[in-house]
């Protein structure tokens, strides 16, 4: 079985990476076409923050259900991934139906979030089932695919393709179905260890293990910053760098994180995984602190460079934390452990997104983005505290 893993490893990772990219393009598809949706459906000005939080809330509920039912451990992970990809793509297309309201859009995005719970953490579980050695590098590619999938809807608009907003939704749904199909054809990995069922006591004891707890707390701090930053990149560009193509630069700033995830994966082979995560978290915290100094300047090129650096470091630590969580979780509950940590992490993103949504609504000051530093600071304390 291990020999078989060695032979297929050359093409297994690209399949998992493409599948993750295709399916996670559903995540920010609406953010990329928000101006059009606001115009067509007469949505309120604060709709973006609430629609983003709705996906996050759906993801949280979905991951809790997956953890309680241990779906990723009890059943074939590739079947779970495929099923969620097809259902998520279908909900994404339902957004095309006429006579939508703000509340119907919130409901649909919530359901897409539930489906994403069977894609992102399950994709990491599939990768862990194929790669015991070099897991950090594999997850670097995998999280990089998530980043690229998140940024891709912005690319569809930003590269001057003149696509209608409906076209963006059709393409992202098509990619999700293609990704789900490819992962299904791949099959389960040779290191998969099925679980017998949900054990709440085992999950509670996870956080008693110091190495697992440190990895999880570092991840939680990272998540406070990450999705709030991603959600508000178009807002930052529109308010402070008005002379550029907002969609194009949103793709660059978010999408470049895919390269930093891959770089972090390779660094983890030679360097300590925790050190790589710590440095990335520290630099992104510095970006949070420096935002109120850089964004008011009249030098657009400097603001773009600053945002690109922030985009690189805000996600670079993510595959490192996922690696640490996977390596320190019980083998028989690895999928469930990844899922529950993801669930708590995404719960945290709702609070940071809503906080930033409120601050931006009431203040035009760039100082509001300093609020994101709370997460990286607490994450560093959790990760490094002895």
């Amino acid at each position: 079985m291990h020999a078989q893993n060695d032979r297929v490893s050359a093409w297994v990772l690209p399949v998992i990476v493409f599948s993750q990219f295709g399916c996670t393009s559903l995540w920010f598809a609406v953010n990329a076409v928000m101006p059009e949706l606001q115009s067509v459906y007469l949505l309120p000005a604060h709709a973006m923050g609430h629609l983003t939080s709705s996906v996050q809330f759906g993801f949280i509920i979905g991951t809790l259900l997956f953890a309680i039912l241990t779906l990723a451990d009890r059943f074939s992970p590739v079947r779970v991934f495929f099923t969620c990809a097809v259902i998520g793509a279908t909900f994404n297309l339902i957004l095309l139906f006429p006579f939508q309201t703000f509340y119907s859009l919130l409901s649909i995005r919530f359901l897409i979030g539930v489906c994403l719970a069977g894609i992102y953490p399950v994709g990491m579980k599939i990768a862990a089932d194929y790669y015991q050695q070099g897991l950090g590098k594999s997850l670097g590619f995998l999280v990089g695919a998530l980043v690229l999938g998140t940024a891709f809807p912005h690319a569809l608009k930003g590269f001057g393709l003149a696509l209608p907003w409906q076209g963006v939704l059709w393409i992202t749904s098509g990619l999700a179905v293609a990704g789900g199909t490819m992962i299904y054809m791949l099959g389960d990995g040779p290191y998969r260890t099925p679980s017998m069922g949900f054990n709440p006591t085992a999950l509670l004891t996870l956080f008693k293990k110091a190495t697992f707890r440190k990895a999880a707390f570092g991840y939680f701090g990272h998540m406070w910053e990450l999705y709030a930053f991603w959600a508000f990149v178009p807002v930052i560009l529109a308010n402070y760098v008005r002379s550029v193509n907002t969609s194009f630069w949103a793709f660059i700033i978010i999408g470049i994180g895919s390269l930093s995830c891959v770089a972090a994966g390779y660094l983890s082979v030679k360097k300590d995984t925790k050190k790589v995560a710590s440095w990335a978290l520290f630099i992104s915290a510095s970006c949070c602190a420096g935002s109120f100094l850089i964004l008011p300047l009249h030098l657009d090129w400097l603001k773009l460079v600053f945002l690109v650096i922030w985009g690189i470091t805000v996600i670079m630590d993510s595959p490192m934390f996922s690696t640490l969580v996977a390596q320190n979780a019980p083998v028989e509950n690895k999928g469930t452990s990844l899922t529950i940590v993801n669930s708590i992490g995404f719960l945290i993103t709702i609070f940071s997104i809503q906080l930033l949504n409120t601050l931006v609504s009431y203040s035009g000051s760039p100082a509001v983005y300093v609020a994101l530093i709370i997460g990286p600071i607490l994450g560093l304390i959790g990760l490094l505290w002895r």
Side-chain angles (χ1 to χ4, degrees):
M1 184 69 74
H2 292 197
Q4 182 186 14
N5 180 56
D6 293 338
R7 288 198 300 269
V8 301
S9 60
W11 56 268
V12 164
L13 186 58
V15 169
I16 299 175
V17 166
F18 176 82
S19 299
Q20 190 83 315
F21 158 73
C23 294
T24 54
S25 67
L26 299 174
W27 216 307
F28 272 40
V30 160
N31 295 63
V33 296
M34 185 57 64
E36 291 87 343
L37 288 179
Q38 287 178 312
S39 176
V40 172
Y41 296 126
L42 304 177
L43 302 180
H46 58 271
M48 185 193 70
H50 292 307
L51 287 172
T52 304
S53 292
S54 184
V55 178
Q56 308 298 79
F57 185 55
F59 185 89
I60 292 160
I61 298 300
T63 49
L64 287 174
L65 289 173
F66 273 69
I68 292 171
L69 300 175
T70 58
L71 296 179
D73 289 311
R74 292 171 60 196
F75 301 102
S76 164
V78 298
R79 290 177 182 268
V80 173
F81 190 104
F82 170 75
T83 302
C84 290
V86 172
I87 296 174
T90 303
F91 283 132
N92 195 49
L93 291 179
I94 291 175
L95 293 168
L96 299 172
F97 289 7
F99 311 115
Q100 298 283 358
T101 67
F102 178 50
Y103 296 103
S104 68
L105 292 176
L106 284 173
S107 300
I108 294 168
R109 293 296 287 165
F110 170 85
L111 293 171
I112 290 173
V114 173
C115 293
L116 286 166
I119 292 169
Y120 177 44
V122 176
M124 290 193 291
K125 157 69 173 169
I126 294 169
D129 287 344
Y130 270 98
Y131 299 95
Q132 287 193 328
Q133 299 297 321
L135 180 60
K137 184 173 74 173
S138 302
L139 291 184
F141 278 98
L142 196 63
V143 178
L146 162 70
V147 178
L148 203 57
T150 300
F152 184 69
H154 292 291
L156 292 175
K157 292 186 63 184
F159 283 96
L161 299 178
L163 283 173
W165 66 272
Q166 297 94 332
V168 174
L169 298 183
W170 275 107
I171 291 173
T172 50
S173 288
L175 283 171
V177 172
T181 302
M182 289 180 67
I183 209 82
Y184 179 79
M185 294 174 65
L186 180 67
D188 293 314
Y191 296 107
R192 179 190 170 219
T193 304
S195 172
M196 296 305 294
F198 179 60
N199 185 350
T201 304
L203 289 180
L204 290 174
T205 58
L206 282 175
F207 290 93
K208 293 182 179 179
K209 185 178 180 181
T211 51
F212 182 89
R213 184 175 63 249
K214 288 180 179 182
F217 286 1
Y219 175 77
F220 298 154
H222 148 80
M223 288 297 283
W224 171 272
E225 178 192 15
L226 177 63
Y227 275 85
F229 174 72
W230 277 354
F232 281 86
V233 162
V235 176
I236 294 172
L237 289 168
N239 289 339
Y240 301 107
V241 199
R242 298 177 182 176
S243 62
V244 299
N245 182 327
T246 298
S247 294
F248 171 80
W249 278 100
F251 168 73
I252 295 297
I253 292 164
I254 297 172
I256 198 168
S258 62
L259 299 180
S260 66
C261 287
V262 173
Y266 278 101
L267 279 174
S268 71
V269 176
K270 296 182 178 181
K271 305 290 184 180
D272 181 67
T273 302
K274 188 167 77 171
K275 285 185 179 179
V276 177
S278 301
W279 276 107
L281 204 55
F282 175 77
I283 297 172
S284 67
S286 301
C287 290
C288 296
S291 59
F292 82 104
L293 296 174
I294 301 295
L295 294 179
L297 298 178
H298 295 291
L299 299 171
D300 283 354
W301 68 268
L302 180 60
K303 287 184 277 191
L304 289 173
V305 170
F306 169 74
L307 289 170
V308 167
I309 293 171
W310 200 350
I312 288 171
T313 56
V314 74
I315 185 63
M316 190 174 185
D317 47 3
S318 190
M320 302 298 95
F321 287 127
S322 297
T323 301
L324 291 169
V325 169
Q327 288 176 340
N328 291 285
V331 174
E332 68 277 7
N333 281 312
K334 188 176 294 184
T336 300
S337 301
L338 286 165
T339 302
I340 200 67
V341 169
N342 269 261
S343 181
I344 297 172
F346 278 85
L347 175 62
I348 291 169
T349 69
I350 290 183
F351 292 101
S352 60
I353 290 170
Q354 289 302 317
L355 173 63
L356 211 52
N357 204 35
T358 302
L359 293 175
V360 170
S361 298
Y362 284 97
S363 172
S365 170
V368 299
Y369 298 102
V370 178
L372 296 180
I373 200 173
I374 298 169
I377 288 176
L378 293 179
L380 282 168
I381 293 172
L383 182 64
L384 301 176
W385 190 267
R386 293 186 181 274

